[in-house]
């Protein structure tokens, strides 16, 4: 059997068509890969609408004032309603991470009929997703953005210090005290918005989530955990009949004002909050950058997490200690 002998590429320009073809294969693998550890979409509604290259987004909020009253058929004192409009804007910014090849790597890939090493490409994709997740959760000081877990406009309280030795930590509290802490925070949103808002989502530091997920109500394998009980027995579920969405969120482990654990409740809806991602990950066309080298990269554009209705959210601090 005759072996196919591939002629080496004499220079980077001759190798460019091969690099472009291999780049498309790597691009496909990047889009097929999932990133479960950076699943910001599980916690914040992700909005990809609008032009990918827009400077930002502008939105309007409307508030109304007025009343209704009894009138005489001949009266001239009809009460008229007024509407006030406020305009706000939110800027977008671009992020990116790249990788490169040299003529030696390209020729070896062509010689042996293998794909160009995708390790660097996957690393770049990971870095982009990691940064998007960080921006969504905690914001960025570079752009002066806050995130889901640290927005100053959201109301914040310390949970009751009535655990063992006057502790606020759930590890020192009874099941009833933990359930009370959660219901108090949920109810605070209801009360502070004059019974308008309900929260449907609870996010916890991983330590607190594991605690309620492993505590059993009584003895025996057939009894439910505290987590299962809370999902079914809370003030939101009691009024709406819907289960409370409870998940761990690692960024909450150090989100409190003292660096300890913070829980948060909110209505997970685009009307309340959204993560702007007008340009999801986009792989750029490879290009020749030097006499023996090629480069490409991944870009994305984001506006971070925008909280439009902070009254539909609340933070409860110090439910776990500062991580060691």
């Amino acid at each position: 059997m005759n072996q196919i002998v591939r002629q080496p590429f004499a220079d980077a320009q001759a190798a460019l068509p091969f690099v472009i073809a291999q780049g498309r294969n790597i691009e496909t693998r990047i889009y097929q890969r999932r990133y479960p550890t950076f699943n910001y979409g599980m916690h914040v509604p992700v909005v990809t609408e609008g032009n990918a290259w827009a400077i930002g987004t502008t939105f309007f909020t409307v508030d109304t004032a007025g009343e209704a009253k009894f009138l005489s058929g001949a009266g001239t004192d009809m009460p008229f309603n007024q509407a006030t409009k406020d305009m706000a804007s939110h800027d977008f910014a671009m992020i990116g991470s790249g990788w490169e090849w040299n003529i030696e790597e390209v020729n070896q890939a062509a010689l042996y009929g293998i794909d160009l090493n995708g390790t660097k490409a996957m690393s770049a994709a990971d870095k982009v997703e990691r940064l998007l997740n960080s921006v969504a959760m905690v914001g960025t000081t570079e752009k002066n953005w806050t995130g889901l877990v640290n927005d100053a406009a959201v109301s914040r309280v310390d949970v009751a210090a009535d655990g063992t030795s006057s502790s606020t930590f759930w590890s020192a509290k009874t099941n009833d005290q933990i359930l009370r802490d959660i219901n108090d925070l949920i109810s605070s949103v209801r009360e502070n918005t004059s019974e308008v808002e309900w929260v449907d989502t609870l996010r916890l530091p991983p330590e607190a989530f594991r605690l309620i997920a492993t505590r059993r109500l009584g003895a025996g394998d057939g009894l439910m955990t505290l987590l299962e009980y809370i999902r079914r027995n809370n003030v939101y579920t009691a009024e709406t009949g819907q289960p409370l969405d409870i998940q761990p969120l690692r960024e909450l482990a150090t989100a409190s004002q003292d660096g300890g654990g913070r829980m948060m409740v909110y209505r997970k809806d685009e009307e309340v909050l959204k993560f702007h991602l007008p340009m999801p990950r986009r792989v750029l066309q490879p290009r020749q950058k030097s006499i023996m080298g090629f480069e490409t990269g991944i870009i994305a554009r984001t506006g971070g997490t925008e909280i439009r209705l902070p009254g539909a959210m609340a933070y409860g601090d110090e439910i776990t200690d500062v991580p060691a």
Side-chain angles (χ1 to χ4, degrees):
M1 182 181 295
N2 295 328
Q3 183 179 6
I4 298 176
V5 179
R6 293 178 174 84
Q7 296 299 319
F9 299 115
D11 53 35
Q13 186 174 1
L16 184 58
F18 176 79
V19 171
I20 292 175
Q22 293 291 292
R24 292 196 184 102
N25 292 334
I26 292 175
E27 177 181 359
T28 300
R29 293 202 300 273
I30 288 173
Y31 287 140
Q32 288 175 342
R33 186 176 178 185
R34 296 185 179 183
Y35 300 83
T37 57
F38 309 127
N39 194 3
Y40 41 87
M42 179 184 293
H43 310 292
V44 186
V46 177
V47 178
T48 58
E49 64 187 15
N51 191 292
W53 295 104
I55 295 174
T57 182
T58 300
F59 62 94
F60 297 88
T61 59
V62 180
D63 195 11
T64 60
E67 63 177 2
K69 67 178 184 180
F70 292 102
L71 300 172
S72 163
T76 59
D77 56 345
M78 172 71 72
F80 293 101
N81 285 261
Q82 303 295 324
T84 58
K85 296 181 180 179
D86 288 324
M87 184 177 71
S89 61
H90 201 79
D91 292 340
F92 298 154
M94 185 162 61
I95 65 172
S97 185
W99 67 98
E100 56 189 3
W101 303 285
N102 58 48
I103 192 68
E104 182 178 44
E105 293 172 307
V106 172
N107 270 294
Q108 289 173 353
L111 176 64
Y112 297 110
I114 61 175
D115 291 337
L116 280 174
N117 188 351
T119 302
K120 291 184 283 188
M122 293 303 176
S123 176
D126 280 342
K127 297 302 186 297
V128 169
E129 285 298 311
R130 185 183 298 272
L131 181 54
L132 287 174
N133 186 80
S134 178
V135 169
M137 296 298 108
V138 300
T140 168
T141 55
E142 185 177 348
K143 295 296 180 181
N144 199 28
W145 293 345
T146 55
L148 173 67
V149 306
N150 60 356
D151 193 284
V154 176
S155 64
R156 187 208 67 82
V157 296
D158 287 340
V159 297
D162 56 359
T164 303
S165 301
S166 300
S167 175
T168 61
F169 305 145
W170 281 5
S171 58
K173 290 188 175 183
T174 66
N175 293 343
D176 287 339
Q177 288 172 324
I178 293 174
L179 180 60
R180 183 273 325 273
D181 286 348
I182 294 172
N183 279 328
D184 282 354
L185 196 63
I186 294 173
S187 297
S188 71
V189 173
R190 192 71 167 157
E191 294 163 1
N192 292 339
T193 59
S194 300
E195 308 297 318
V196 172
E197 285 291 350
W198 259 131
V199 301
D200 56 17
T201 303
L202 169 65
R203 292 293 180 261
L204 299 171
E207 179 184 343
F209 181 86
R210 288 191 291 267
L211 185 148
I212 65 173
T214 54
R215 270 200 192 180
R216 292 193 175 275
L217 303 183
D221 293 337
L223 296 175
M224 70 173 60
T225 64
L226 181 55
L227 172 61
E228 293 171 316
Y229 184 84
I230 292 171
R231 277 202 176 107
R232 304 175 190 177
N233 299 275
N234 58 80
V235 290
Y236 164 73
T237 301
E239 183 161 337
T240 66
Q242 301 298 315
L244 186 64
D245 176 10
I246 309 174
Q247 297 292 337
L249 181 58
R250 62 174 175 266
E251 285 81 8
L252 288 171
T254 57
S256 78
Q257 288 194 330
D258 294 332
R262 163 177 286 176
M263 69 170 162
M264 64 177 301
V265 294
Y266 57 104
R267 177 162 63 91
K268 191 170 65 174
D269 188 279
E270 290 183 15
E271 183 182 31
V272 177
L273 76 168
K274 58 182 67 178
F275 179 62
H276 291 284
L277 191 62
M279 181 194 290
R281 292 192 319 272
R282 178 178 295 184
V283 181
L284 299 174
Q285 179 88 334
R287 77 176 189 96
Q288 183 178 344
K289 73 167 187 173
S290 67
I291 194 171
M292 291 193 296
F294 308 90
E295 65 182 4
T296 187
I298 299 172
I299 59 173
R301 285 177 57 79
T302 179
T305 296
E306 177 192 352
I307 296 177
R308 293 190 174 184
L309 294 178
M313 304 175 64
Y315 298 140
D317 281 1
E318 310 309 328
I319 66 171
T320 57
D321 200 356
V322 179

